[in-house]
Amino acid sequence: MTDRLGSVFIENVQPELDAGRYAIKRIAGESLTVRADIFKEGHDVLVAVARWRQVTPAAQKTDWAEVPLTHKSNDAWEGVIPLARNGRYEYTIEAWPDLFRTWAHELKRKVDAGRDVKSELLEGAALLEGAAARAKDVSAEDSRMLAEVGARLRTPPAPEHLLAALSPELADVASRHPDRTLARRYDQVLEVFADREKARNAAWYEFFPRSAKRDGKTHGTFKDAEAWLPYIQKLGFDTVYLPPIHPIGRTARKGKNNTLRALPGDVGSPWAIGAAEGGHKAIHPELGTFADFRAFVDAAQAHGIEVALDLAFQCAPDHPYVKDHPEWFQHRPDGTIKTAENPPKRYEDIVNFDWMGPARDALWKELKSVVLFWVDHGVRTFRVDNPHTKPMQFWHWLIREVQDLHPDVLFLSEAFTRPKVMKALGKVGFTQSYTYFTWRLFKDELRTYLEEITQPPVADYFRGNLWPNTPDILPENLQNAGPGAFRLRVALASTLSSVWGMYSGYELCEGRPVPGKEEYLDSEKYQLVAWDWDRPGNISDWIGRLNAARKQHPALQQYTGLRFFESDNERVLFYGKRTPDGTSTVLVAVSLDPYAPQEALLHVPMEWLGVKPEETYQVHELMADQRSLWQGPDVQVRLTPEQPAALYAVYRFRRTEHAFDYFE
């Protein structure tokens, strides 16, 4: 831009993550609203556009396209970019002065002031002639019109010349052919990754196929695990997550309850990956063959369930990598390979890679091939074990490399660590993340935490997958607790976020801990477990109704639509979700007391619902399947340990030709 024309400033571009270093996240089919502050000295009329293109996968790469930005107020501009398909997009902003509209605006002011505008008309003629030349190869009709009016402005001034010069239609045509050499482009090309829908809306069920026989003695197979699929489908889960399915090391194998000495017949921890039978690209022989695994994947798909695999980049001491590539591992000064530690914990059955060592290029390439190997075997979702103990650079590289080829692949970060580290993992590319929900028990802390992670700017890159339990974690609030605790925690997990999961046994209210620890007694991590699905206290029906409500009502499938509302009881949490178009709205009240009934006066957000204070509307309580009519902002609710949550789908009435109907 020349000094004569001054400068266009483009500032405060949103959304933008760490000055464009990382991509923000959206879902394919959504749109991306882009905002910026755009201004210039003086009184020029400005034009601004958002430039965007899809860059991966390669087969769907597009040329640059533009959408207009609209001036809102106080130099704020806004526009919408469509994200029709799964993949990575680039976007930036460009703005320039609209010379002809600026000229026309000034011309009218001078005419209104009674000034001689002969010279100004000649300036306008030059602007139109320049636009006509630029339009020549684009639109012959536009070029002809611009040239004709420009020529008329060079003749002696006449009233009709002024009318033509100030015509809105002429300004529209001239603006279609601007002098873009005057444009200023934002310094950064930003990225957005559009995930498939499952990234935002999924219910995970974790179970160990080796316990599929359910007798605690016989090692299960993939064929045995297939028999679980109808049950998992009935519970309403659409993702089944399997812990590592690879051969388990024999060196330093752990025994039952994490004892250091394994007895004959002890199956060991599946996270101690690798033995003589193979490593990360092999299947534990007792689970079956690759054909059996593929049959399990296909059977799951037939039940509407996707299979997620554990991605644990660590090795047992007898993993083939240790023998074939000792340079990939960390060694002590005495030459021995370091075992994994998280003091005071030590994992004698696991050794770690030397992530940033001299052999990192070959190591990283091999680990990428592990992911692509399982993608080729039908896996599109990975739960990543302890990613916070590996370099961020590695994950940024790996996830991008994989998603550039297969943009439908999802990565769940299993990182219970410091807040900034968890968020950084989201920034470098992880699709979803475990959260602190597991330990958030009280009204204010639940509200504060969920507001943080479900609203921008955090929600632009971090999707919290809420788990009330995992094989590693039996939180204190579930230890030796009654069914009321399990019901309320699963109600919170499944409705506060649109992605949630649980580890099998939860539906049986399994809560026997290792004394003094947040760990399961007789943990399935180290032994086969005999699950008794007929034991008293089973809450499978409650879980099934929650997941059914999620599937039926799109509001519960929204991650960023969460809003909290007031109740007069500190032990009752009240919140709601709605779709962006307002066609689905659900209000949720959950008791935080697992032992006693709680009553509360709920203050219904009438304006948020779009309901007038005097208007009657219908609600359908989904857990008890009861309908009622509400009017006004205050509603009384009673929740019990047997029914600790109420989910209200909200319907408003509308007049039809002959009667009243209602709509969500």
Side-chain angles (χ1 to χ4, degrees), residues 264-312:
D266 282 347
V267 291
S269 167
W271 282 272
I273 298 171
E277 298 86 355
H280 285 75
K281 297 178 183 177
I283 289 176
H284 193 293
E286 291 189 76
L287 289 174
T289 65
F290 278 98
D292 296 331
F293 174 74
R294 188 64 202 222
F296 176 77
V297 172
D298 292 342
Q301 291 176 346
H303 285 83
I305 298 170
E306 182 169 328
V307 174
L309 283 190
D310 196 288
L311 192 64

Side-chain angles (χ1 to χ4, degrees), residues 205-215 220-235 237 240 242 296 299-300 303 305 503-505 507-508 524 529-533:
Y205 185 85
E206 178 179 3
F207 88 108
F208 289 68
R210 69 187 189 181
S211 290
K213 281 291 190 181
R214 295 168 44 183
D215 61 8
T221 67
F222 290 127
K223 290 183 182 295
D224 298 322
E226 283 187 38
W228 281 50
L229 293 173
Y231 166 75
I232 296 171
Q233 181 185 37
K234 183 178 179 181
L235 287 179
F237 292 97
V240 58
L242 309 182
F296 176 77
H303 285 83
I305 298 170
Y503 159 53
S504 62
E507 63 268 47
L508 304 181
E524 195 171 8
V529 171
W531 293 113
D532 178 9
W533 300 111

Side-chain angles (χ1 to χ4, degrees), residues 205 257 468-471 473-487 502-514 518-524 527 529-533 535-540 543:
Y205 185 85
N257 285 307
N469 76 326
T470 75
I473 300 171
L474 174 61
E476 188 175 355
N477 62 87
L478 297 178
Q479 292 183 12
N480 299 311
F486 286 83
R487 287 194 186 98
M502 71 178 210
Y503 159 53
S504 62
Y506 187 96
E507 63 268 47
L508 304 181
C509 303
E510 174 60 45
R512 296 176 300 122
V514 174
E518 285 192 327
E519 298 178 15
Y520 282 93
L521 185 65
D522 300 327
S523 171
E524 195 171 8
Q527 65 186 70
V529 171
W531 293 113
D532 178 9
W533 300 111
R535 65 195 258 187
N538 194 315
I539 63 168
S540 296
I543 295 168

Side-chain angles (χ1 to χ4, degrees), residues 117-133:
V117 293
K118 181 178 179 181
S119 177
E120 282 77 3
L121 291 178
L122 295 177
E123 292 176 0
L127 292 174
L128 290 174
E129 289 163 358

Side-chain angles (χ1 to χ4, degrees), residues 392-574:
M392 293 287 179
Q393 303 98 307
F394 170 74
W395 295 120
H396 192 203
W397 172 83
L398 175 74
I399 294 173
R400 189 181 188 99
E401 288 280 309
V402 172
Q403 290 184 334
D404 281 355
L405 296 172
H406 304 282
D408 57 339
V409 173
L410 311 179
F411 295 89
L412 169 62
S413 165
E414 185 261 346
F416 295 113
T417 184
R418 303 184 305 282
K420 288 183 174 61
V421 176
M422 292 176 67
K423 291 175 181 177
L425 289 165
K427 291 179 180 180
V428 300
F430 276 93
T431 314
Q432 302 169 6
S433 176
Y434 282 31
T435 70
Y436 300 136
F437 162 79
T438 312
W439 299 276
R440 296 294 185 264
L441 306 179
F442 302 108
K443 186 173 181 177
D444 287 345
E445 63 182 7
L446 280 165
R447 176 171 183 164
T448 299
Y449 183 57
L450 268 298
E451 283 180 337
E452 176 191 359
I453 67 172
T454 62
Q455 296 179 14
V458 177
D460 281 335
Y461 59 87
F462 183 96
R463 297 190 189 100
N465 191 327
L466 308 189
W467 290 68
N469 76 326
T470 75
D472 296 299
I473 300 171
L474 174 61
E476 188 175 355
N477 62 87
L478 297 178
Q479 292 183 12
N480 299 311
F486 286 83
R487 287 194 186 98
L488 77 86
R489 292 300 294 179
V490 76
L492 291 169
S494 61
T495 58
L496 284 169
S497 178
S498 55
V499 283
W500 80 284
M502 71 178 210
Y503 159 53
S504 62
Y506 187 96
E507 63 268 47
L508 304 181
C509 303
E510 174 60 45
R512 296 176 300 122
V514 174
K517 297 184 178 181
E518 285 192 327
E519 298 178 15
Y520 282 93
L521 185 65
D522 300 327
S523 171
E524 195 171 8
K525 290 170 59 179
Y526 308 104
Q527 65 186 70
L528 306 180
V529 171
W531 293 113
D532 178 9
W533 300 111
D534 298 321
R535 65 195 258 187
N538 194 315
I539 63 168
S540 296
D541 181 64
W542 177 259
I543 295 168
R545 278 181 283 158
L546 287 166
N547 276 332
R550 287 167 49 90
K551 291 184 178 181
Q552 184 179 358
H553 296 276
L556 295 175
Q557 301 164 19
Q558 305 299 307
Y559 183 72
T560 57
L562 178 66
R563 294 294 182 272
F564 287 92
F565 310 116
E566 295 302 317
S567 76
D568 67 351
N569 187 333
E570 283 303 303
R571 295 188 177 183
V572 174
L573 189 66
F574 183 39

